[in-house]
Amino acid sequence: MADPYQNNVYHQGGGDGYGTYGEGGGHDGYGYQADYPPQEEDAASDVTEGHDEEDQMYEGEYQGIPHPDEVKAAQRAARAKSRAAGGGGGGGGGASELEELSEQYEDIMEDCGHGRFQWTLFVVLGLALMADGVECFVVAFALPSAEKDLCLSNAEKGMLGLVVFLSMMVGAFLWGGLADKVGRRRCLIVALAINCVFAFLSSFAQGYGFFLFFRLLSGIGIGGTVPIVYSYFSEFLQMEKRGEHLSWLCMFWMFGGIYASFTAWGIIPRYGWGFSMGSEFQFHSWRVFVLVAALPAIASLVGLTFMPESPRFLLENAKHDEAWMILKQVHDTNWRAKGQPEKVFTVTHIKAPKTAEDEFIEIQSATGTPVQRWAVRSLTLCKLVLKNVASLLSAELRFATLFMAVLWFCMAFSYYGLSVWFPDMIKHLQYEEYESKVKVFHRERVENFHFNFSLENQIHREGEYVRDKFISIEMKSVKFEDSLFEDCRFEDIRSTDTLFENCTIRSTVFYNTDLSKEKFIDCRMENVTFEHKKHGCHLDVGDENDVLIYLVSFLGNLAVLPGNIISALFMEKVGRVRIIGGSMLVSAGCTFLLFLSFSQSAIIALQCLFCGVSAAAWNGIEVVTVELYPASKRATAFGVLNALCKLAAILGSSIFASFVGVTKAIPILLSFAALVCGGLVALKLPDTRQKILQ
């Protein structure tokens, strides 16, 4: 039997600086053979032996329905005609040659079909996106327990929350730029590995400094997932499937939030799950949660070892042999799964630009010591990445980059700002309700009494306590004002938000308590002793881990599901621009309803509505970002815009949180203005539904 691939040898192109496969031929300069490669008359394959083409009638032929292959051929002919009309006889230079590559690559992906390979990659990359979603919630869920375990001040807690987005911002910029020069798969593997290693180390860190450092590096790793995942997956999709399946991929971010909520609720309140090794090493349940939160990243990392590099990236970097083999793998995997293993990959000729960057690096690094060669390669790579970033403001991409930057910033500022504002407002309402139930005791006199029950949410004014014992109890939100303590004993006391103000304390012993001198404000002490003070911080087992915080997060993420489904189903029918603009304007309308939110249930309901509508806008933004930029700049652009998104998240969450308990008007008006601005800008974007991926 004749080998249909015997001529698939890489030849260096001539004056056009392009590499090709095979010996040319094909239609419109493309290396396509007919439906099957030409074979000798007696060289039919065993699979098709005994079957005549005339016996296999297309079932829609009698109804006048064109065969799918005929539809594809017509579409390709139309694209070729459009190219010929716009190219003006081949004088278009590099731009027209890149267009030819884009169109040929689209034709190849159509022939490969959409099947088992794409769905496998969908799950693997979805897990990476899920890991990104989990990362956004890990610190927030662990913080109520970690602040006691690590003795965190308010400033340190704020820094931990800030470092999540700050590190992801750095990671998005770094890995997005490298992915266009080093490779999508390679960068994603390294980024996920960094995330897994430092997430693991952070769960064992006993001090605030190490925990902060490890979470910073973990965030830098996971920050690369979003720009790489979308660029990577889009390059295995044909045009008619691209918008829908990229939208389905977005659902994994929602799964990440749900996974984080469920695991936090199931693990953190289970205090018996931890262990300790003396007083120096404590491994409480919140640390178990930090470990479990890394599982999606680990699963994706394992899956990526079985996935190939993006063939489009390889073609852009003149690695034709590798690209051809991967495309053949995609084709054969899909058609075998569909029960048509006899279908042959018919591409024999691929045009691809020959780049000099790799040769330039090798020439510069051919001499010197290994350290010098590494330094030269690294420096050259940095220059190439920065050059690629600067090219986003070139004449061809300037307006697209500006519009997308405004869109990403406005959406992230509003979305992440309100995402912080919603739970903070719920906590504020809870605190107000808690304060309204405070018990006030005025001028009580207690003598020779043994307090063996906890005190909570109480204010004691001008009381007198003589020869009383406070033994093995917890004091939570208790305040003593202008009171007298004489011959009393406090033993084995754990306190939260407990103060003694302007009190007189005489002949009293504090034994094994956490009542430090900072909790005694303007107090007069006579013959008072503090013995065996509790050192360090101690994990409270009270309401710090109220199930409501997990429930609110779970409902907010679950509400994203309808928005994801609707946007995926209508992304191709309605168009990206209308979905983005419409969703942002509807979200802006939702923010005004927040003026009517006076209860916890109303805020939760409005959060679900806002998150559901916003999901459609996010999906559209991510799809358009992929489609607006060429392959050589796609991950870089996505990384820069995603870094801007994280900057907007930092600003939005900081500004909105500062107004909790002060006023609703400013956060609502700020989010409304941002969403309206973004929605109007979105309507100026080009419709990329029928645009071939450049």
Side-chain angles (χ1 to χ4, degrees), residues 182-396:
V182 178
R184 281 84 161 104
R185 175 180 174 272
R186 184 185 301 178
C187 284
L188 188 55
I189 286 176
V190 175
L192 287 174
I194 290 173
N195 172 252
C196 294
V197 168
F198 289 104
F200 175 81
L201 292 176
S202 71
S203 69
F204 291 92
Q206 296 297 301
Y208 168 73
F210 279 114
F211 185 76
L212 181 71
F213 177 70
F214 290 145
R215 292 314 303 183
L216 174 68
L217 294 179
S218 172
I220 290 175
I222 203 66
T225 56
V226 172
I228 298 177
V229 161
Y230 286 101
S231 302
Y232 190 10
F233 190 52
S234 67
E235 291 168 354
F236 284 96
L237 297 174
Q238 58 201 68
M239 182 173 61
E240 62 182 20
K241 301 282 187 180
R242 193 169 59 230
E244 177 185 351
H245 287 272
L246 285 174
S247 298
W248 291 127
L249 187 66
C250 295
M251 292 179 65
F252 278 91
W253 200 92
M254 172 200 71
F255 294 151
I258 293 175
Y259 174 80
S261 304
F262 263 117
T263 52
W265 174 76
I267 294 175
I268 294 179
R270 273 62 175 176
Y271 299 98
W273 286 23
F275 64 90
S276 61
M277 297 174 64
S279 60
E280 298 299 323
F281 185 86
Q282 304 288 330
F283 197 90
H284 294 296
S285 56
W286 68 268
R287 298 179 182 274
V288 178
F289 164 68
V290 172
L291 278 179
V292 173
L295 290 181
I298 295 172
S300 179
L301 183 60
V302 172
L304 276 170
T305 61
F306 300 97
M307 292 291 107
E309 180 58 85
S310 164
R312 185 58 190 270
F313 166 79
L314 295 173
L315 290 172
E316 290 286 335
N317 289 271
K319 298 179 180 179
H320 311 80
D321 294 339
E322 296 176 48
W324 186 89
M325 292 300 295
I326 292 170
L327 290 170
K328 184 178 185 300
Q329 176 190 347
V330 175
H331 177 279
D332 293 348
T333 301
N334 287 341
W335 288 110
R336 274 198 301 268
K338 294 176 181 179
Q340 300 183 51
E342 73 278 5
K343 192 117 179 176
V344 179
F345 186 56
T346 58
V347 178
T348 59
H349 171 200
I350 302 179
K351 279 195 172 185
K354 179 188 175 185
T355 60
E357 291 174 356
D358 293 333
E359 296 177 8
F360 179 64
I361 293 175
E362 292 304 321
I363 290 171
Q364 283 197 333
S365 59
T367 58
T369 65
V371 174
Q372 289 174 328
R373 289 196 295 270
W374 176 83
V376 169
R377 281 195 295 267
S378 300
L379 181 60
T380 306
L381 183 60
C382 290
K383 290 179 180 178
L384 293 173
V385 169
L386 294 176
K387 181 181 177 182
N388 218 24
V389 171
S391 69
L392 299 179
L393 297 176
S394 63
E396 300 83 14

Side-chain angles (χ1 to χ4, degrees), residues 53-209:
E53 292 184 5
E54 295 177 358
D55 294 337
Q56 299 177 355
M57 303 292 290
Y58 169 55
E59 61 181 356
E61 182 175 347
Y62 292 112
Q63 289 110 12
I65 302 174
H67 194 282
D69 290 342
E70 296 176 5
V71 174
K72 289 181 181 178
Q75 291 174 343
R76 292 176 184 176
R79 289 199 292 263
K81 183 178 179 181
S82 174
R83 183 178 69 253
S96 63
E97 290 170 342
L98 287 174
E99 290 173 5
E100 287 184 18
L101 168 61
S102 302
E103 290 170 6
Q104 186 186 12
Y105 192 81
E106 176 64 26
D107 293 343
I108 294 172
M109 294 314 302
E110 287 179 357
D111 284 349
C112 289
H114 189 94
R116 175 177 292 176
F117 181 90
Q118 280 84 358
W119 286 114
T120 304
L121 185 64
F122 174 82
V123 173
V124 172
L125 296 182
L127 287 169
L129 201 58
M130 182 175 170
D132 181 88
V134 171
E135 185 76 14
C136 294
F137 295 96
V138 169
V139 170
F141 288 155
L143 199 54
S145 297
E147 68 173 304
K148 300 296 182 183
D149 204 8
L150 300 175
C151 307
L152 302 182
S153 65
N154 288 332
E156 289 171 335
K157 287 190 293 182
M159 180 57 67
L160 264 178
L162 174 66
V163 81
V164 173
F165 289 112
L166 190 64
S167 60
M168 294 175 77
M169 178 178 73
V170 174
F173 182 87
L174 173 67
W175 297 113
L178 288 174
D180 278 333
K181 297 301 176 186
V182 178
R184 281 84 161 104
R185 175 180 174 272
R186 184 185 301 178
C187 284
L188 188 55
I189 286 176
V190 175
L192 287 174
I194 290 173
N195 172 252
C196 294
V197 168
F198 289 104
F200 175 81
L201 292 176
S202 71
S203 69
F204 291 92
Q206 296 297 301
Y208 168 73

Side-chain angles (χ1 to χ4, degrees), residues 416-546:
Y416 286 103
L418 288 177
S419 294
V420 169
W421 187 82
F422 283 127
D424 281 359
M425 273 299 297
I426 291 173
K427 289 179 183 177
H428 176 70
L429 292 176
Q430 285 180 318
Y431 180 73
E432 286 186 335
E433 183 181 357
Y434 186 76
E435 274 197 326
S436 68
K437 297 178 181 178
V438 65
K439 296 178 182 178
V440 180
F441 299 87
H442 192 67
R443 291 186 177 179
E444 63 177 351
R445 180 178 175 85
V446 183
E447 293 186 50
N448 299 313
F449 187 78
H450 183 183
F451 289 87
N452 58 0
F453 50 86
S454 295
L455 306 179
E456 180 178 356
N457 200 20
Q458 299 176 2
I459 297 177
H460 299 262
R461 293 187 179 129
E462 300 181 16
E464 294 183 8
Y465 305 90
V466 181
R467 294 182 298 278
D468 295 325
K469 294 181 179 180
F470 300 80
I471 309 294
S472 299
I473 66 172
E474 182 178 355
M475 294 181 171
K476 182 177 181 181
S477 299
V478 179
K479 187 175 184 181
F480 295 94
E481 297 178 355
D482 303 307
S483 297
L484 170 67
F485 294 86
E486 189 168 358
D487 291 326
C488 293
R489 182 177 180 85
F490 291 80
E491 182 176 338
D492 194 19
I493 303 296
R494 296 173 61 190
S495 64
T496 304
D497 297 329
T498 297
L499 294 174
F500 296 78
E501 186 173 339
N502 199 28
C503 295
T504 300
I505 305 174
R506 298 176 187 152
S507 304
T508 296
V509 176
F510 293 87
Y511 182 87
N512 192 30
T513 74
D514 60 1
L515 295 172
S516 59
K517 292 186 178 181
E518 291 77 16
K519 295 186 178 183
F520 297 87
I521 303 173
D522 297 329
C523 292
R524 294 172 296 281
M525 295 188 180
E526 301 173 10
N527 195 25
V528 176
T529 58
F530 292 85
E531 300 177 1
H532 297 282
K533 289 179 58 179
K534 290 181 183 288
H535 294 288
C537 299
H538 304 276
L539 189 64
D540 286 339
V541 295
D543 297 326
E544 262 68 37
N545 296 302
D546 192 344

